[in-house]
Amino acid sequence: MSSPPGTADAPRPASPQTRGPAWTDLRPLVLRLHFYAGLLVAPFLLIAALTGFLYAASLQIEKVVYADELTAPVGRTPLPLSQQVAAAQAAQPRGKVSAVQPAAEAGRTTRVLFDAPGLPAGTKSAVFVDPYTARIRGTLPSYGSSGALPVRAWISALHRHLHLGEPGRLYSELAASWLWVVALGGLLLWLTRRRRRRRQVVLPERRTSGARRVLSWHGSIGVWTVLGLLLLSATGLTWSTYAGANVGAVRAALGWQTPAISTASGEHAAHHPGGHLPSAPAIGVDHVAETATRARLSGPLEIAWPAAAGGPYLVSQIDKQWPVHLDQIAIDSATGQVTARLPFADYPLAAKLTRWGIDAHMGLLFGLPGQLLLMALAAGLMTLIALGYRMWWRRRPHGGLPMPPPRGGWRRLHWITLTPLALLTVIVSVFLPLMGISLAAFLILDILRGRRVKAA
């Protein structure tokens, strides 16, 4: 599905009872596209799968590496939150408090986040406080909205851009742009093969060997992983440079953006609060925490300090496991009254789907089971690529390189099929620029190879 199928799946006459003439004519074109896309894009997909496997595991690695900072001996009664924040401020005198995440359960530490000088954009200094003694368990940089600590942030950057900065992001965008194409193309090729038993669609053939056996495993694994691969492709594109900008524009045009709670009134605004308050607000963090409890906000919480003098505190649920708890309230810093609410239930469906998809991609949705599923999906993709290259190599002529499927499949298409297909290809190529550029490169390579064969 996501790697080159070789020529083991060569075109064959279609049965009128199972496939119509349109698919019979289209199949050679899909087969050739699947071959070239899998052959040339598979290395990028392999890197994405390997680093993605590591990232899915990084959430558990983080808990082990930073156990001293994240955990504390269970005591009798937690100290007031204000006392814990004061202890963190004493340990970070040059920083300014931007938010605090109270210990969500017994044995966990309170995380106090600071805006500190010298930190990169999007990075906070996190001070971990024992909620029972106010002792400092450690200080670490915290990256992004997910609060990733250094080891997870390093693996995340490896997966996102291979630590090459913005140019490195092109590899992951190219992989995400083609993943859905090779997955759907491979699925169509596999489902439309003639077979004796239906079970051979989802399970490998037992009594076979050689190239047919490899193809059987390749197709069966592809069927089991295709939905996950499509999800990874779609959500991965939202983080990409060029396609991501187009996705953002579409979401804005259709009103699919994630709503944000207002820090000035009960109405929704188009921005998120950030920063810190130059002067101390009238009410303390203890009162804010009590108000949040009365407002029925529970589970892991983040209390963000007011963005400007007189502005409200923002209290957010940050539990992204299933079922998610992502409600938010704004609390007036002078009166302690709730001034705005934004329940997750009020999000538009598109915003909910986006939130769930991104969290699933990051391994946050469903917790450990979701992380194990992501690791299995990444392992499945790596296996598909290995099997695809295996088929490609086994089908090579004696003493030569493997040959692609026959050329000229598009000439068999009727203009009624070819015209909308060409138009769709142009639209998709514009929306996914790296896919369009690489597709043009495939066509040029194919034309040059065809001319070379004719000349020989």
Side-chain angles (χ1 to χ4, degrees), residues 260-269 271-273 283 287-289 291-292 294-295 297 302-307 310-317 326-343:
I261 193 170
S262 172
T263 57
S265 67
E267 299 178 356
H268 292 175
H271 64 280
H272 287 283
I283 64 169
H287 185 93
V288 173
T291 303
R294 290 196 299 270
L297 264 65
E302 179 175 280
I303 302 173
W305 259 233
Y313 286 93
L314 177 63
V315 185
S316 307
Q317 293 179 314
L326 298 172
D327 294 353
Q328 300 175 63
I329 61 172
I331 300 175
D332 191 287
S333 60
T335 66
Q337 300 297 311
V338 175
T339 60
R341 296 176 182 268
L342 179 56

mmCIF file of all heavy atoms in Angstrom, residues 260-269 271-273 283 287-289 291-292 294-295 297 302-307 310-317 326-343:
data_model
loop_
_atom_site.group_PDB
_atom_site.id
_atom_site.type_symbol
_atom_site.label_atom_id
_atom_site.label_comp_id
_atom_site.label_asym_id
_atom_site.label_seq_id
_atom_site.Cartn_x
_atom_site.Cartn_y
_atom_site.Cartn_z
ATOM 1 N N ALA A 260 -11.947 30.143 20.545
ATOM 2 C CA ALA A 260 -11.140 30.529 21.706
ATOM 3 C C ALA A 260 -11.995 31.345 22.650
ATOM 4 O O ALA A 260 -12.850 32.135 22.222
ATOM 5 C CB ALA A 260 -9.921 31.334 21.259
ATOM 6 N N ILE A 261 -11.776 31.149 23.922
ATOM 7 C CA ILE A 261 -12.535 31.888 24.922
ATOM 8 C C ILE A 261 -12.038 33.327 24.995
ATOM 9 O O ILE A 261 -10.854 33.594 24.797
ATOM 10 C CB ILE A 261 -12.412 31.193 26.296
ATOM 11 C CG1 ILE A 261 -13.436 31.748 27.281
ATOM 12 C CG2 ILE A 261 -10.999 31.308 26.834
ATOM 13 C CD1 ILE A 261 -13.516 30.946 28.562
ATOM 14 N N SER A 262 -12.931 34.258 25.224
ATOM 15 C CA SER A 262 -12.558 35.660 25.318
ATOM 16 C C SER A 262 -11.976 35.960 26.688
ATOM 17 O O SER A 262 -12.432 35.439 27.703
ATOM 18 C CB SER A 262 -13.782 36.552 25.082
ATOM 19 O OG SER A 262 -13.465 37.899 25.355
ATOM 20 N N THR A 263 -10.949 36.784 26.716
ATOM 21 C CA THR A 263 -10.394 37.242 27.982
ATOM 22 C C THR A 263 -10.937 38.614 28.362
ATOM 23 O O THR A 263 -10.499 39.230 29.317
ATOM 24 C CB THR A 263 -8.862 37.318 27.906
ATOM 25 O OG1 THR A 263 -8.494 38.184 26.821
ATOM 26 C CG2 THR A 263 -8.273 35.940 27.676
ATOM 27 N N ALA A 264 -11.922 39.075 27.568
ATOM 28 C CA ALA A 264 -12.496 40.392 27.861
ATOM 29 C C ALA A 264 -13.976 40.316 28.155
ATOM 30 O O ALA A 264 -14.524 41.136 28.864
ATOM 31 C CB ALA A 264 -12.259 41.343 26.682
ATOM 32 N N SER A 265 -14.678 39.302 27.577
ATOM 33 C CA SER A 265 -16.116 39.188 27.782
ATOM 34 C C SER A 265 -16.504 37.741 27.636
ATOM 35 O O SER A 265 -15.666 36.875 27.462
ATOM 36 C CB SER A 265 -16.874 40.037 26.751
ATOM 37 O OG SER A 265 -16.693 39.502 25.451
ATOM 38 N N GLY A 266 -17.773 37.477 27.678
ATOM 39 C CA GLY A 266 -18.258 36.108 27.537
ATOM 40 C C GLY A 266 -18.341 35.644 26.121
ATOM 41 O O GLY A 266 -18.781 34.527 25.855
ATOM 42 N N GLU A 267 -17.951 36.468 25.146
ATOM 43 C CA GLU A 267 -18.030 36.085 23.748
ATOM 44 C C GLU A 267 -16.707 35.485 23.305
ATOM 45 O O GLU A 267 -15.656 35.724 23.880
ATOM 46 C CB GLU A 267 -18.362 37.302 22.879
ATOM 47 C CG GLU A 267 -19.716 37.924 23.234
ATOM 48 C CD GLU A 267 -19.972 39.162 22.382
ATOM 49 O OE1 GLU A 267 -19.074 39.523 21.609
ATOM 50 O OE2 GLU A 267 -21.052 39.746 22.500
ATOM 51 N N HIS A 268 -16.767 34.712 22.222
ATOM 52 C CA HIS A 268 -15.556 34.101 21.685
ATOM 53 C C HIS A 268 -14.706 35.150 20.996
ATOM 54 O O HIS A 268 -15.208 36.067 20.349
ATOM 55 C CB HIS A 268 -15.919 32.995 20.687
ATOM 56 C CG HIS A 268 -16.557 31.823 21.370
ATOM 57 N ND1 HIS A 268 -17.050 30.756 20.675
ATOM 58 C CD2 HIS A 268 -16.776 31.553 22.687
ATOM 59 C CE1 HIS A 268 -17.555 29.883 21.521
ATOM 60 N NE2 HIS A 268 -17.398 30.347 22.743
ATOM 61 N N ALA A 269 -13.387 34.978 21.137
ATOM 62 C CA ALA A 269 -12.454 35.863 20.464
ATOM 63 C C ALA A 269 -11.628 35.056 19.488
ATOM 64 O O ALA A 269 -11.725 33.852 19.428
ATOM 65 C CB ALA A 269 -11.539 36.548 21.491
ATOM 66 N N HIS A 271 -8.288 34.929 19.422
ATOM 67 C CA HIS A 271 -6.918 34.780 19.875
ATOM 68 C C HIS A 271 -6.900 34.049 21.201
ATOM 69 O O HIS A 271 -7.900 33.934 21.885
ATOM 70 C CB HIS A 271 -6.263 36.153 20.028
ATOM 71 C CG HIS A 271 -6.906 37.005 21.100
ATOM 72 N ND1 HIS A 271 -8.076 37.706 20.882
ATOM 73 C CD2 HIS A 271 -6.563 37.217 22.399
ATOM 74 C CE1 HIS A 271 -8.421 38.349 21.999
ATOM 75 N NE2 HIS A 271 -7.523 38.060 22.935
ATOM 76 N N HIS A 272 -5.711 33.567 21.547
ATOM 77 C CA HIS A 272 -5.526 32.908 22.828
ATOM 78 C C HIS A 272 -4.745 33.839 23.752
ATOM 79 O O HIS A 272 -3.843 34.554 23.310
ATOM 80 C CB HIS A 272 -4.731 31.606 22.666
ATOM 81 C CG HIS A 272 -5.533 30.527 22.034
ATOM 82 N ND1 HIS A 272 -6.481 29.816 22.720
ATOM 83 C CD2 HIS A 272 -5.535 30.038 20.775
ATOM 84 C CE1 HIS A 272 -7.027 28.921 21.921
ATOM 85 N NE2 HIS A 272 -6.475 29.038 20.736
ATOM 86 N N PRO A 273 -5.021 33.830 25.044
ATOM 87 C CA PRO A 273 -4.264 34.666 25.955
ATOM 88 C C PRO A 273 -2.857 34.127 26.132
ATOM 89 O O PRO A 273 -2.597 32.958 26.001
ATOM 90 C CB PRO A 273 -5.051 34.561 27.264
ATOM 91 C CG PRO A 273 -5.760 33.262 27.174
ATOM 92 C CD PRO A 273 -6.092 33.090 25.708
ATOM 93 N N ILE A 283 -7.011 38.915 43.198
ATOM 94 C CA ILE A 283 -7.284 37.618 43.815
ATOM 95 C C ILE A 283 -6.095 36.687 43.596
ATOM 96 O O ILE A 283 -5.317 36.866 42.656
ATOM 97 C CB ILE A 283 -8.565 36.975 43.245
ATOM 98 C CG1 ILE A 283 -8.397 36.667 41.756
ATOM 99 C CG2 ILE A 283 -9.774 37.862 43.488
ATOM 100 C CD1 ILE A 283 -9.500 35.815 41.188
ATOM 101 N N HIS A 287 -7.791 31.158 45.210
ATOM 102 C CA HIS A 287 -9.186 31.506 44.932
ATOM 103 C C HIS A 287 -9.580 31.062 43.525
ATOM 104 O O HIS A 287 -10.692 30.576 43.305
ATOM 105 C CB HIS A 287 -9.381 33.018 45.089
ATOM 106 C CG HIS A 287 -10.806 33.446 44.934
ATOM 107 N ND1 HIS A 287 -11.680 33.579 45.990
ATOM 108 C CD2 HIS A 287 -11.528 33.764 43.819
ATOM 109 C CE1 HIS A 287 -12.864 33.954 45.557
ATOM 110 N NE2 HIS A 287 -12.800 34.090 44.236
ATOM 111 N N VAL A 288 -8.656 31.216 42.583
ATOM 112 C CA VAL A 288 -8.922 30.805 41.202
ATOM 113 C C VAL A 288 -9.158 29.300 41.146
ATOM 114 O O VAL A 288 -10.099 28.816 40.489
ATOM 115 C CB VAL A 288 -7.754 31.208 40.285
ATOM 116 C CG1 VAL A 288 -7.941 30.628 38.890
ATOM 117 C CG2 VAL A 288 -7.632 32.724 40.206
ATOM 118 N N ALA A 289 -8.320 28.530 41.839
ATOM 119 C CA ALA A 289 -8.473 27.074 41.842
ATOM 120 C C ALA A 289 -9.803 26.661 42.469
ATOM 121 O O ALA A 289 -10.477 25.744 41.978
ATOM 122 C CB ALA A 289 -7.308 26.439 42.597
ATOM 123 N N THR A 291 -12.556 28.480 42.561
ATOM 124 C CA THR A 291 -13.613 28.862 41.622
ATOM 125 C C THR A 291 -13.727 27.847 40.491
ATOM 126 O O THR A 291 -14.829 27.489 40.064
ATOM 127 C CB THR A 291 -13.339 30.266 41.044
ATOM 128 O OG1 THR A 291 -13.236 31.207 42.112
ATOM 129 C CG2 THR A 291 -14.444 30.690 40.093
ATOM 130 N N ALA A 292 -12.591 27.369 40.003
ATOM 131 C CA ALA A 292 -12.600 26.357 38.945
ATOM 132 C C ALA A 292 -13.262 25.072 39.429
ATOM 133 O O ALA A 292 -14.018 24.423 38.685
ATOM 134 C CB ALA A 292 -11.185 26.080 38.469
ATOM 135 N N ARG A 294 -15.588 24.875 41.773
ATOM 136 C CA ARG A 294 -17.032 25.140 41.853
ATOM 137 C C ARG A 294 -17.665 25.159 40.465
ATOM 138 O O ARG A 294 -18.841 24.837 40.306
ATOM 139 C CB ARG A 294 -17.283 26.465 42.561
ATOM 140 C CG ARG A 294 -16.968 26.443 44.057
ATOM 141 C CD ARG A 294 -17.588 27.642 44.760
ATOM 142 N NE ARG A 294 -17.079 28.902 44.248
ATOM 143 C CZ ARG A 294 -16.010 29.529 44.727
ATOM 144 N NH1 ARG A 294 -15.336 28.995 45.760
ATOM 145 N NH2 ARG A 294 -15.602 30.672 44.223
ATOM 146 N N ALA A 295 -16.862 25.528 39.444
ATOM 147 C CA ALA A 295 -17.366 25.544 38.067
ATOM 148 C C ALA A 295 -17.311 24.157 37.428
ATOM 149 O O ALA A 295 -17.565 24.010 36.235
ATOM 150 C CB ALA A 295 -16.568 26.535 37.229
ATOM 151 N N LEU A 297 -14.761 22.151 36.871
ATOM 152 C CA LEU A 297 -13.593 21.782 36.089
ATOM 153 C C LEU A 297 -12.748 20.843 36.930
ATOM 154 O O LEU A 297 -12.363 21.185 38.054
ATOM 155 C CB LEU A 297 -12.771 23.019 35.698
ATOM 156 C CG LEU A 297 -13.059 23.599 34.304
ATOM 157 C CD1 LEU A 297 -14.476 24.127 34.256
ATOM 158 C CD2 LEU A 297 -12.058 24.708 33.970
ATOM 159 N N GLU A 302 -4.780 23.639 33.809
ATOM 160 C CA GLU A 302 -3.745 24.666 33.676
ATOM 161 C C GLU A 302 -4.380 26.003 33.973
ATOM 162 O O GLU A 302 -5.412 26.358 33.380
ATOM 163 C CB GLU A 302 -3.123 24.671 32.283
ATOM 164 C CG GLU A 302 -2.061 25.759 32.128
ATOM 165 C CD GLU A 302 -1.347 25.715 30.788
ATOM 166 O OE1 GLU A 302 -0.427 24.879 30.643
ATOM 167 O OE2 GLU A 302 -1.731 26.495 29.900
ATOM 168 N N ILE A 303 -3.779 26.745 34.895
ATOM 169 C CA ILE A 303 -4.242 28.087 35.251
ATOM 170 C C ILE A 303 -3.262 29.075 34.655
ATOM 171 O O ILE A 303 -2.104 29.143 35.070
ATOM 172 C CB ILE A 303 -4.336 28.261 36.779
ATOM 173 C CG1 ILE A 303 -5.283 27.222 37.386
ATOM 174 C CG2 ILE A 303 -4.792 29.673 37.129
ATOM 175 C CD1 ILE A 303 -5.289 27.221 38.904
ATOM 176 N N ALA A 304 -3.706 29.831 33.652
ATOM 177 C CA ALA A 304 -2.852 30.805 32.982
ATOM 178 C C ALA A 304 -3.054 32.179 33.606
ATOM 179 O O ALA A 304 -4.189 32.616 33.812
ATOM 180 C CB ALA A 304 -3.166 30.848 31.487
ATOM 181 N N TRP A 305 -1.949 32.863 33.907
ATOM 182 C CA TRP A 305 -2.005 34.197 34.508
ATOM 183 C C TRP A 305 -2.595 35.205 33.508
ATOM 184 O O TRP A 305 -2.519 35.002 32.279
ATOM 185 C CB TRP A 305 -0.608 34.622 34.910
ATOM 186 C CG TRP A 305 -0.292 34.466 36.374
ATOM 187 C CD1 TRP A 305 0.197 35.426 37.210
ATOM 188 C CD2 TRP A 305 -0.406 33.283 37.178
ATOM 189 N NE1 TRP A 305 0.376 34.914 38.482
ATOM 190 C CE2 TRP A 305 0.011 33.605 38.490
ATOM 191 C CE3 TRP A 305 -0.837 31.984 36.920
ATOM 192 C CZ2 TRP A 305 0.019 32.689 39.530
ATOM 193 C CZ3 TRP A 305 -0.841 31.057 37.953
ATOM 194 C CH2 TRP A 305 -0.426 31.407 39.240
ATOM 195 N N PRO A 306 -3.184 36.281 33.991
ATOM 196 C CA PRO A 306 -3.772 37.286 33.090
ATOM 197 C C PRO A 306 -2.774 37.808 32.071
ATOM 198 O O PRO A 306 -1.586 37.982 32.372
ATOM 199 C CB PRO A 306 -4.224 38.388 34.051
ATOM 200 C CG PRO A 306 -4.476 37.665 35.344
ATOM 201 C CD PRO A 306 -3.429 36.596 35.403
ATOM 202 N N ALA A 307 -3.268 38.076 30.878
ATOM 203 C CA ALA A 307 -2.404 38.536 29.795
ATOM 204 C C ALA A 307 -2.076 40.016 29.911
ATOM 205 O O ALA A 307 -1.096 40.481 29.358
ATOM 206 C CB ALA A 307 -3.070 38.262 28.449
ATOM 207 N N GLY A 310 -5.513 43.780 34.839
ATOM 208 C CA GLY A 310 -6.967 43.761 34.929
ATOM 209 C C GLY A 310 -7.628 42.656 34.140
ATOM 210 O O GLY A 310 -8.842 42.479 34.206
ATOM 211 N N GLY A 311 -6.851 41.889 33.373
ATOM 212 C CA GLY A 311 -7.412 40.808 32.582
ATOM 213 C C GLY A 311 -7.733 39.598 33.442
ATOM 214 O O GLY A 311 -7.323 39.512 34.607
ATOM 215 N N PRO A 312 -8.461 38.639 32.901
ATOM 216 C CA PRO A 312 -8.864 37.473 33.684
ATOM 217 C C PRO A 312 -7.826 36.361 33.657
ATOM 218 O O PRO A 312 -6.963 36.300 32.787
ATOM 219 C CB PRO A 312 -10.141 37.028 32.977
ATOM 220 C CG PRO A 312 -9.896 37.397 31.538
ATOM 221 C CD PRO A 312 -9.093 38.664 31.568
ATOM 222 N N TYR A 313 -7.915 35.482 34.645
ATOM 223 C CA TYR A 313 -7.217 34.209 34.590
ATOM 224 C C TYR A 313 -7.955 33.319 33.583
ATOM 225 O O TYR A 313 -9.172 33.417 33.431
ATOM 226 C CB TYR A 313 -7.254 33.509 35.948
ATOM 227 C CG TYR A 313 -6.353 34.086 37.012
ATOM 228 C CD1 TYR A 313 -6.818 35.039 37.908
ATOM 229 C CD2 TYR A 313 -5.047 33.624 37.156
ATOM 230 C CE1 TYR A 313 -6.010 35.532 38.916
ATOM 231 C CE2 TYR A 313 -4.221 34.108 38.159
ATOM 232 C CZ TYR A 313 -4.710 35.073 39.031
ATOM 233 O OH TYR A 313 -3.900 35.552 40.025
ATOM 234 N N LEU A 314 -7.215 32.438 32.943
ATOM 235 C CA LEU A 314 -7.822 31.444 32.063
ATOM 236 C C LEU A 314 -7.531 30.061 32.635
ATOM 237 O O LEU A 314 -6.366 29.675 32.787
ATOM 238 C CB LEU A 314 -7.264 31.552 30.642
ATOM 239 C CG LEU A 314 -7.786 30.514 29.640
ATOM 240 C CD1 LEU A 314 -9.288 30.671 29.445
ATOM 241 C CD2 LEU A 314 -7.065 30.632 28.307
ATOM 242 N N VAL A 315 -8.567 29.327 32.972
ATOM 243 C CA VAL A 315 -8.412 27.978 33.520
ATOM 244 C C VAL A 315 -8.888 26.991 32.462
ATOM 245 O O VAL A 315 -10.024 27.089 31.982
ATOM 246 C CB VAL A 315 -9.218 27.800 34.817
ATOM 247 C CG1 VAL A 315 -8.932 26.422 35.422
ATOM 248 C CG2 VAL A 315 -8.881 28.897 35.817
ATOM 249 N N SER A 316 -8.022 26.051 32.107
ATOM 250 C CA SER A 316 -8.319 25.105 31.029
ATOM 251 C C SER A 316 -8.120 23.682 31.510
ATOM 252 O O SER A 316 -7.130 23.377 32.192
ATOM 253 C CB SER A 316 -7.410 25.351 29.819
ATOM 254 O OG SER A 316 -7.453 26.697 29.401
ATOM 255 N N GLN A 317 -9.029 22.822 31.144
ATOM 256 C CA GLN A 317 -8.804 21.396 31.295
ATOM 257 C C GLN A 317 -7.840 20.948 30.200
ATOM 258 O O GLN A 317 -7.965 21.378 29.055
ATOM 259 C CB GLN A 317 -10.111 20.620 31.189
ATOM 260 C CG GLN A 317 -11.081 20.859 32.331
ATOM 261 C CD GLN A 317 -12.369 20.072 32.166
ATOM 262 O OE1 GLN A 317 -12.947 20.058 31.083
ATOM 263 N NE2 GLN A 317 -12.828 19.425 33.223
ATOM 264 N N LEU A 326 -11.701 19.232 27.972
ATOM 265 C CA LEU A 326 -11.020 20.415 27.435
ATOM 266 C C LEU A 326 -11.854 21.682 27.609
ATOM 267 O O LEU A 326 -11.739 22.620 26.820
ATOM 268 C CB LEU A 326 -10.691 20.204 25.946
ATOM 269 C CG LEU A 326 -9.744 19.034 25.631
ATOM 270 C CD1 LEU A 326 -9.641 18.810 24.136
ATOM 271 C CD2 LEU A 326 -8.367 19.291 26.223
ATOM 272 N N ASP A 327 -12.708 21.715 28.643
ATOM 273 C CA ASP A 327 -13.493 22.922 28.904
ATOM 274 C C ASP A 327 -12.587 24.040 29.415
ATOM 275 O O ASP A 327 -11.517 23.789 29.994
ATOM 276 C CB ASP A 327 -14.576 22.637 29.941
ATOM 277 C CG ASP A 327 -15.622 21.652 29.435
ATOM 278 O OD1 ASP A 327 -15.571 21.300 28.234
ATOM 279 O OD2 ASP A 327 -16.470 21.230 30.232
ATOM 280 N N GLN A 328 -13.030 25.291 29.217
ATOM 281 C CA GLN A 328 -12.266 26.452 29.669
ATOM 282 C C GLN A 328 -13.203 27.463 30.320
ATOM 283 O O GLN A 328 -14.366 27.585 29.930
ATOM 284 C CB GLN A 328 -11.565 27.139 28.493
ATOM 285 C CG GLN A 328 -10.592 26.277 27.724
ATOM 286 C CD GLN A 328 -10.054 26.999 26.513
ATOM 287 O OE1 GLN A 328 -9.390 28.026 26.628
ATOM 288 N NE2 GLN A 328 -10.346 26.470 25.329
ATOM 289 N N ILE A 329 -12.669 28.198 31.288
ATOM 290 C CA ILE A 329 -13.397 29.328 31.867
ATOM 291 C C ILE A 329 -12.428 30.485 32.047
ATOM 292 O O ILE A 329 -11.220 30.277 32.211
ATOM 293 C CB ILE A 329 -14.059 28.984 33.220
ATOM 294 C CG1 ILE A 329 -13.006 28.581 34.253
ATOM 295 C CG2 ILE A 329 -15.125 27.910 33.060
ATOM 296 C CD1 ILE A 329 -13.564 28.414 35.662
ATOM 297 N N ALA A 330 -12.959 31.700 32.025
ATOM 298 C CA ALA A 330 -12.189 32.901 32.337
ATOM 299 C C ALA A 330 -12.698 33.443 33.668
ATOM 300 O O ALA A 330 -13.908 33.505 33.900
ATOM 301 C CB ALA A 330 -12.348 33.943 31.233
ATOM 302 N N ILE A 331 -11.766 33.807 34.552
ATOM 303 C CA ILE A 331 -12.111 34.284 35.896
ATOM 304 C C ILE A 331 -11.560 35.686 36.080
ATOM 305 O O ILE A 331 -10.354 35.929 35.907
ATOM 306 C CB ILE A 331 -11.551 33.340 36.979
ATOM 307 C CG1 ILE A 331 -12.122 31.926 36.802
ATOM 308 C CG2 ILE A 331 -11.837 33.869 38.370
ATOM 309 C CD1 ILE A 331 -11.540 30.909 37.757
ATOM 310 N N ASP A 332 -12.429 36.614 36.436
ATOM 311 C CA ASP A 332 -12.035 38.011 36.639
ATOM 312 C C ASP A 332 -10.998 38.094 37.752
ATOM 313 O O ASP A 332 -11.200 37.565 38.853
ATOM 314 C CB ASP A 332 -13.258 38.851 36.989
ATOM 315 C CG ASP A 332 -12.962 40.341 36.957
ATOM 316 O OD1 ASP A 332 -12.268 40.810 37.880
ATOM 317 O OD2 ASP A 332 -13.426 41.029 36.033
ATOM 318 N N SER A 333 -9.879 38.737 37.482
ATOM 319 C CA SER A 333 -8.783 38.791 38.453
ATOM 320 C C SER A 333 -9.051 39.751 39.601
ATOM 321 O O SER A 333 -8.326 39.737 40.599
ATOM 322 C CB SER A 333 -7.479 39.192 37.751
ATOM 323 O OG SER A 333 -7.613 40.466 37.139
ATOM 324 N N ALA A 334 -10.085 40.588 39.488
ATOM 325 C CA ALA A 334 -10.415 41.530 40.560
ATOM 326 C C ALA A 334 -11.531 40.999 41.451
ATOM 327 O O ALA A 334 -11.470 41.123 42.679
ATOM 328 C CB ALA A 334 -10.821 42.877 39.965
ATOM 329 N N THR A 335 -12.546 40.370 40.841
ATOM 330 C CA THR A 335 -13.715 39.923 41.611
ATOM 331 C C THR A 335 -13.746 38.421 41.852
ATOM 332 O O THR A 335 -14.468 37.950 42.734
ATOM 333 C CB THR A 335 -15.000 40.317 40.875
ATOM 334 O OG1 THR A 335 -15.086 39.591 39.642
ATOM 335 C CG2 THR A 335 -15.011 41.821 40.584
ATOM 336 N N GLY A 336 -13.006 37.663 41.051
ATOM 337 C CA GLY A 336 -13.037 36.221 41.186
ATOM 338 C C GLY A 336 -14.250 35.577 40.541
ATOM 339 O O GLY A 336 -14.480 34.371 40.729
ATOM 340 N N GLN A 337 -15.017 36.329 39.776
ATOM 341 C CA GLN A 337 -16.210 35.810 39.127
ATOM 342 C C GLN A 337 -15.864 35.210 37.760
ATOM 343 O O GLN A 337 -14.950 35.677 37.073
ATOM 344 C CB GLN A 337 -17.253 36.922 38.943
ATOM 345 C CG GLN A 337 -17.713 37.567 40.241
ATOM 346 C CD GLN A 337 -18.414 36.561 41.139
ATOM 347 O OE1 GLN A 337 -19.297 35.828 40.697
ATOM 348 N NE2 GLN A 337 -18.023 36.531 42.409
ATOM 349 N N VAL A 338 -16.605 34.187 37.385
ATOM 350 C CA VAL A 338 -16.443 33.587 36.060
ATOM 351 C C VAL A 338 -17.053 34.524 35.026
ATOM 352 O O VAL A 338 -18.245 34.845 35.092
ATOM 353 C CB VAL A 338 -17.114 32.201 36.000
ATOM 354 C CG1 VAL A 338 -17.037 31.638 34.584
ATOM 355 C CG2 VAL A 338 -16.463 31.246 36.982
ATOM 356 N N THR A 339 -16.249 34.972 34.070
ATOM 357 C CA THR A 339 -16.716 35.935 33.069
ATOM 358 C C THR A 339 -17.004 35.300 31.716
ATOM 359 O O THR A 339 -17.671 35.913 30.877
ATOM 360 C CB THR A 339 -15.680 37.050 32.881
ATOM 361 O OG1 THR A 339 -14.437 36.469 32.449
ATOM 362 C CG2 THR A 339 -15.457 37.802 34.187
ATOM 363 N N ALA A 340 -16.496 34.116 31.474
ATOM 364 C CA ALA A 340 -16.729 33.453 30.181
ATOM 365 C C ALA A 340 -16.515 31.959 30.342
ATOM 366 O O ALA A 340 -15.725 31.520 31.177
ATOM 367 C CB ALA A 340 -15.792 34.019 29.106
ATOM 368 N N ARG A 341 -17.241 31.198 29.514
ATOM 369 C CA ARG A 341 -17.115 29.748 29.501
ATOM 370 C C ARG A 341 -16.998 29.281 28.056
ATOM 371 O O ARG A 341 -17.622 29.845 27.168
ATOM 372 C CB ARG A 341 -18.334 29.072 30.139
ATOM 373 C CG ARG A 341 -18.535 29.378 31.614
ATOM 374 C CD ARG A 341 -19.830 28.741 32.131
ATOM 375 N NE ARG A 341 -20.084 29.055 33.522
ATOM 376 C CZ ARG A 341 -19.691 28.296 34.540
ATOM 377 N NH1 ARG A 341 -19.047 27.151 34.292
ATOM 378 N NH2 ARG A 341 -19.934 28.635 35.786
ATOM 379 N N LEU A 342 -16.226 28.234 27.862
ATOM 380 C CA LEU A 342 -16.134 27.619 26.545
ATOM 381 C C LEU A 342 -16.065 26.104 26.726
ATOM 382 O O LEU A 342 -14.981 25.523 26.826
ATOM 383 C CB LEU A 342 -14.915 28.116 25.771
ATOM 384 C CG LEU A 342 -14.712 27.517 24.368
ATOM 385 C CD1 LEU A 342 -15.944 27.741 23.500
ATOM 386 C CD2 LEU A 342 -13.474 28.090 23.700
ATOM 387 N N PRO A 343 -17.212 25.426 26.797
ATOM 388 C CA PRO A 343 -17.200 23.958 26.904
ATOM 389 C C PRO A 343 -16.744 23.329 25.592
ATOM 390 O O PRO A 343 -17.067 23.818 24.509
ATOM 391 C CB PRO A 343 -18.667 23.611 27.206
ATOM 392 C CG PRO A 343 -19.323 24.915 27.570
ATOM 393 C CD PRO A 343 -18.553 25.976 26.863
#
